[in-house]
Amino acid sequence: MSLMTKEQLREFIKENNIQSINDIYESLKKRFKNAIQDILEAELETNLGYSKYDVKYKETDNSRNGHKDIEIGI
């Protein structure tokens, strides 16, 4: 993982119209939401033993009924 240069950081602030700590929080939350959702889906796949829409390896009557968007909060 690399650090941002000062110029990259300034550009990030400008692009995201960051004016407060809350703006930073909201911007980062949006960036990490998809990654966290993918991690949770992979964990579910590992625990159930089959991937989404894969009925070939499904050894249970349990169904994956979709997902709910996660809320990230601190």
Side-chain angles (χ1 to χ4, degrees):
M1 186 163 144
S2 63
L3 299 175
M4 295 175 81
T5 65
K6 286 183 182 180
E7 186 58 40
Q8 289 171 322
L9 184 55
R10 287 184 186 111
E11 187 64 28
F12 176 80
I13 290 168
K14 183 179 178 182
E15 287 175 358
N16 293 282
N17 193 30
I18 293 175
Q19 298 178 2
S20 69
I21 297 294
N22 192 50
D23 292 342
I24 294 171
Y25 172 74
E26 290 299 320
S27 178
L28 292 175
K29 184 169 77 169
K30 288 176 190 174
R31 290 180 181 269
F32 286 106
K33 180 181 178 184
N34 291 336
I36 292 171
Q37 185 67 43
D38 290 344
I39 290 167
L40 292 173
E41 287 181 13
E43 181 180 15
L44 181 62
E45 183 175 311
T46 299
N47 286 329
L48 292 177
Y50 64 94
S51 60
K52 191 184 259 188
Y53 311 117
D54 185 6
V55 294
K56 181 178 179 181
Y57 297 104
K58 183 179 171 185
E59 298 176 2
T60 177
D61 291 333
N62 189 7
S63 295
R64 295 177 70 165
N65 297 336
H67 72 278
K68 179 179 177 183
D69 283 337
I70 59 171
E71 288 291 325
I72 301 173
I74 295 179

